[in-house]
Amino acid sequence: MYIEHFGMRELPFTLTPNTRFFLQLPTHQEALNLLLVALSSGDGFIKVVGEVGTGKTMLCRMLLNALEKESCVSAYLPNPYLSPEALRRHFALEIGVENALQLRDFELITRINERLVEIAKEGRFTVLIVDEAQAMPEETIEALRLLTNLETESEKLFQVVLFGQPELDQLLARPSLRQLKQRITFSSQLQVLTQTAVAQYLEQRASKAGYEGLSLFSKKAASLIAKASGGVPRLVNILAHKSLMSAYGKGERQINPQHVVHAIEDTEGVKVPRVASGLSWWLSSALLAGVCAGAAYVLSVRGLIG
């Protein structure tokens, strides 16, 4: 791979969410700050919505890392496509209910309530974090709402953070789920990255991976990645990774637009922007013209053409 070629310690643009590479950019940092403030105020439901590839899972893991273990018991549900009973059992296991898999459902609810009260008496709070929440069946979401009815006289016994794609909003807009929707006290919308933010993002990740040289991506290359990806972090990672591979293959030390064009052409669902298409065509045409001119010169020298 290209790690040694660019003087890095690790791959900077992998698709696996690595909290070391968290976006230190306004849209994602503000969302994390909002979540922490909302949880500290004891609100019931909090919702974070973002398109595919905008960094929801990364933000979810950052939140889990940011919650102080001494003051919080966190439960994480990465795949919420569960029945209501399976949801309750998973939650029970996460918060430390003993024999959660053996208990009958009505006993399970009782033990969940008792465990939540124990946690509250210890001076801690409980948070359930649900990733890909748009995949939850409607009856499971309703079961979750009913579970949050567990409370003391003064406070809720646990809070819920829902991370999901825009389809989550459509799901919660159903009349049958209006009670849950009314309980959402804070909501955040993750935005795609601006062109300036993409350039910062590229340099930031390269630097954290160990790169110490001047700008790894030329301004035009970064601009091209921003336009082709639409500012979606996942696509930025894919194009940046392939651009680095292209540059490495040619033995070059900085990413230029041609490397990015090669990356785009090798990526399904991404098109070369018009300007870049023109650039690619111009480069190809210029190369062809140069070859033709060179051939004509050689032939004229040899007297084969007039």
Side-chain angles (χ1 to χ4, degrees):
M1 296 299 289
Y2 53 73
I3 295 177
E4 288 188 16
H5 179 73
F6 291 106
M8 298 177 180
R9 296 184 301 272
E10 59 186 312
L11 292 171
F13 299 106
T14 60
L15 296 184
T16 303
N18 184 339
T19 54
R20 286 191 57 252
F21 292 105
F22 177 65
L23 300 171
Q24 298 295 329
L25 299 168
T27 176
H28 290 69
Q29 190 62 53
E30 287 172 8
L32 179 59
N33 293 342
L34 172 67
L35 288 169
L36 294 173
V37 170
L39 289 174
S40 67
S41 63
D43 291 285
F45 279 86
I46 305 162
K47 173 170 64 74
V48 178
V49 170
E51 270 293 352
V52 175
T54 51
K56 296 183 299 298
T57 300
M58 173 74 87
L59 182 60
C60 182
R61 293 189 180 182
M62 283 297 296
L63 176 62
L64 284 167
N65 289 348
L67 293 171
E68 295 183 13
K69 302 300 184 285
E70 298 79 11
S71 59
C72 171
V73 173
S74 59
Y76 177 50
L77 186 60
N79 179 15
Y81 189 71
L82 302 169
S83 67
E85 183 178 346
L87 169 73
R88 289 188 284 268
R89 292 194 185 281
H90 183 94
F91 180 56
L93 287 170
E94 287 283 294
I95 63 175
V97 172
E98 295 181 1
N99 303 317
L101 297 179
Q102 287 73 44
L103 296 172
R104 287 175 291 181
D105 198 35
F106 73 91
E107 295 174 322
L108 183 67
I109 295 174
T110 300
R111 281 296 297 125
I112 287 174
N113 187 53
E114 291 172 351
R115 177 59 182 148
L116 290 172
V117 170
E118 288 173 5
I119 293 170
K121 286 182 177 179
E122 294 169 0
R124 299 188 292 169
F125 64 97
T126 304
V127 179
L128 171 60
I129 299 173
V130 182
D131 201 2
E132 302 293 349
Q134 77 283 346
M136 293 183 77
E138 185 173 332
E139 62 272 19
T140 304
I141 294 182
E142 178 61 13
L144 177 59
R145 182 189 69 82
L146 293 174
L147 200 58
T148 60
N149 286 337
L150 300 175
E151 55 189 5
T152 65
E153 292 182 357
S154 59
E155 61 182 353
K156 293 284 184 183
L157 285 175
F158 77 100
Q159 300 161 272
V160 180
V161 182
L162 301 174
F163 287 87
Q165 297 171 18
E167 290 79 3
L168 176 60
D169 285 332
Q170 299 172 17
L171 180 62
L172 296 177
R174 295 178 185 177
S176 56
L177 295 176
R178 62 188 182 279
Q179 290 191 62
L180 187 147
K181 187 175 182 179
Q182 290 173 359
R183 293 189 182 186
I184 296 175
T185 52
F186 282 91
S187 182
S188 179
Q189 180 85 34
L190 288 183
Q191 304 296 327
V192 296
L193 306 180
T194 64
Q195 187 168 316
T196 300
V198 167
Q200 294 174 351
Y201 174 75
L202 292 170
E203 296 303 325
Q204 179 189 99
R205 290 192 73 126
S207 176
K208 287 192 175 183
Y211 179 72
E212 297 180 347
L214 299 175
S215 294
L216 181 57
F217 293 80
S218 71
K219 289 184 179 180
K220 289 183 178 180
S223 175
L224 188 51
I225 289 176
K227 290 175 182 176
S229 67
V232 176
R234 183 179 297 165
L235 292 178
V236 172
N237 282 357
I238 291 172
L239 295 179
H241 173 64
K242 291 183 177 181
S243 296
L244 286 167
M245 290 180 67
S246 177
Y248 167 66
K250 295 180 179 180
E252 296 172 354
R253 299 287 180 177
Q254 186 183 48
I255 310 305
N256 62 47
Q258 186 128 24
H259 301 138
V260 180
V261 169
H262 290 159
I264 295 170
E265 292 174 342
D266 187 57
T267 304
E268 291 187 17
V270 181
K271 295 182 179 179
V272 179
R274 285 186 177 182
V275 174
S277 296
L279 172 65
S280 182
W281 176 86
W282 182 85
L283 288 170
S284 299
S285 299
L287 178 61
L288 179 60
V291 170
C292 291
Y297 173 77
V298 171
L299 291 173
S300 66
V301 169
R302 293 180 179 181
L304 297 179
I305 61 175

